[in-house]
Every structure is written in structure tokens, then in C-alpha cells.
Amino acid sequence: MLQDLENYFSELEKKILQLQKSYKNLTEEFSELNGEHEELKRKYDEERRKNQVLAEEQKNIKLYSAISGNPEHNRLMKNHINRLVKEIDFCIAQLQNSGL
């Protein structure tokens, strides 16, 4: 009976050591994956900023093209001018309402 208990505890000790080793490996892997995740998040944010800059540059290029007389972008220029006129009208209305 004592031998059976010793065998049982020996097997239990082996399993505990194996679990500790697995736990250590998993924590190391988690740490590595967490680092990769942070790096990917940083790269994603950087690429998103670059994309926003490029989109703004593309918008400006189209606008400059429309201003320079490119017939393909005349509609864009008209829309831009209409938007600016609406903003000016809104500002004038606000000034009139404020009594200035």
C-alpha cells in the first residue's frame, strides 16, 4: 500500500513537472505573440496614417487638376466651389444672427 502511494505521488509529481514546463512554454509563447501583436498594431497604425496622407494628396491632386482646367475634373471643382460658397453663406448667416 505504501508502494502504491509512492508510485501515485511519483506519477503526480511527473505530471506537475510536465504541467509546469508546459505553463512556462505557454507563457513564453504568449509573451512572444503579445510582442508580435503590438508590432503589428504599430505597423497597422502607421500604414493607416500613410493611407490617410495619400488619400488627402490624391484629393488635392484632383483639385489642382480641376483648377488647372483639366476637363475630367471640372465637376469636382464645381462641387468644391459650391461647398465653399455654402460655408461662406453659413458664416454670413451666423454673423447676421449674432448682430455683427
Side-chain angles (χ1 to χ4, degrees):
M1 175 138 162
L2 186 59
Q3 185 65 26
D4 291 339
L5 281 175
E6 286 179 7
N7 287 339
Y8 176 74
F9 282 120
S10 176
E11 288 295 320
L12 194 57
E13 186 178 17
K14 287 179 187 177
K15 287 181 181 181
I16 289 172
L17 290 174
Q18 185 180 10
L19 284 172
Q20 285 177 333
K21 185 178 178 181
S22 294
Y23 176 76
K24 182 181 176 186
N25 289 338
L26 287 173
T27 54
E28 289 173 1
E29 185 178 353
F30 175 77
S31 179
E32 289 174 15
L33 289 173
N34 200 24
E36 287 179 29
H37 177 260
E38 291 300 321
E39 178 67 19
L40 288 173
K41 265 182 21 180
R42 187 191 62 75
K43 285 181 181 180
Y44 170 77
D45 289 340
E46 184 179 315
E47 290 299 322
R48 195 178 74 211
R49 281 191 295 275
K50 285 180 184 179
N51 188 26
Q52 288 173 341
V53 167
L54 289 175
E56 188 65 29
E57 285 179 11
Q58 182 183 20
K59 180 181 170 185
N60 288 338
I61 289 171
K62 285 182 180 180
L63 186 59
Y64 297 144
S65 178
I67 290 171
S68 68
N70 187 338
E72 293 177 12
H73 300 289
N74 281 341
R75 182 172 174 222
L76 175 68
M77 185 61 189
K78 288 178 186 178
N79 289 340
H80 186 70
I81 290 172
N82 286 337
R83 206 173 326 121
L84 291 174
V85 169
K86 286 179 184 178
E87 284 184 39
I88 291 170
D89 287 341
F90 180 74
C91 292
I92 290 171
Q94 282 185 328
L95 288 172
Q96 289 175 344
N97 289 339
S98 67
L100 294 177

